[in-house]
């Protein structure tokens, strides 16, 4: 990471509009919130052995998200991370 002087930073920031800077700050805040929610979701899912069964449904994940006030996409990302490689897709080109 480069260290800039204050004047260099001001010069660099003048190339962006306020809306662009605000948009980037919002994007970064949303990414941090998503990662934090995903970490919480992983803790919840790790305590639930039924999650590892192929009969665990998307509807059940959505119910969990609602029950724990989590963002569904964070919970789904956590589920995918936790179950990666457990349920191979049948009939796909990679499984020929």
């Amino acid at each position: 990471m480069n260290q800039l002087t204050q004047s260099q930073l001001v010069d660099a920031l003048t190339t962006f509009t306020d809306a662009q800077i605000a948009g980037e700050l919002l994007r970064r805040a949303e990414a941090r919130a998503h990662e934090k929610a995903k970490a919480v979701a992983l803790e919840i899912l790790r305590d639930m052995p039924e999650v590892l069964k192929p009969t665990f449904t998307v509807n059940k994940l959505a119910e969990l998200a609602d029950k724990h006030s989590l963002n569904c996409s964070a919970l789904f990302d956590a589920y995918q991370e936790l179950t990666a490689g457990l349920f191979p897709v049948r009939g796909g080109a990679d499984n020929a």
Side-chain angles (χ1 to χ4, degrees):
M1 184 172 170
N2 293 336
Q3 294 291 325
L4 300 176
T5 65
Q6 185 175 0
S7 62
Q8 289 172 323
L9 183 58
V10 168
D11 289 343
L13 287 175
T14 59
T15 63
F16 300 100
T17 66
D18 288 345
Q20 288 172 316
I21 294 169
E24 179 62 15
L25 291 173
L26 179 62
R27 184 193 66 75
R28 290 180 184 197
E30 287 174 341
R32 282 191 304 273
H34 178 82
E35 288 303 314
K36 185 177 178 181
K38 182 179 167 185
V40 170
L42 274 169
E43 287 181 28
I44 293 166
L45 293 175
R46 283 187 180 122
D47 290 338
M48 300 178 65
E50 63 271 21
V51 168
L52 300 178
K53 295 180 182 175
T55 56
F56 200 78
T57 65
V58 172
N59 288 342
K60 291 178 185 174
L61 282 174
E63 289 172 12
L64 273 176
D66 187 45
K67 177 180 176 182
H68 294 282
S69 300
L70 290 171
N71 183 306
C72 281
S73 67
L75 191 74
F76 293 158
D77 283 352
Y79 176 79
Q80 285 183 328
E81 183 176 314
L82 191 64
T83 61
L86 288 180
F87 311 119
V89 177
R90 295 190 182 123
D94 294 337
N95 295 325

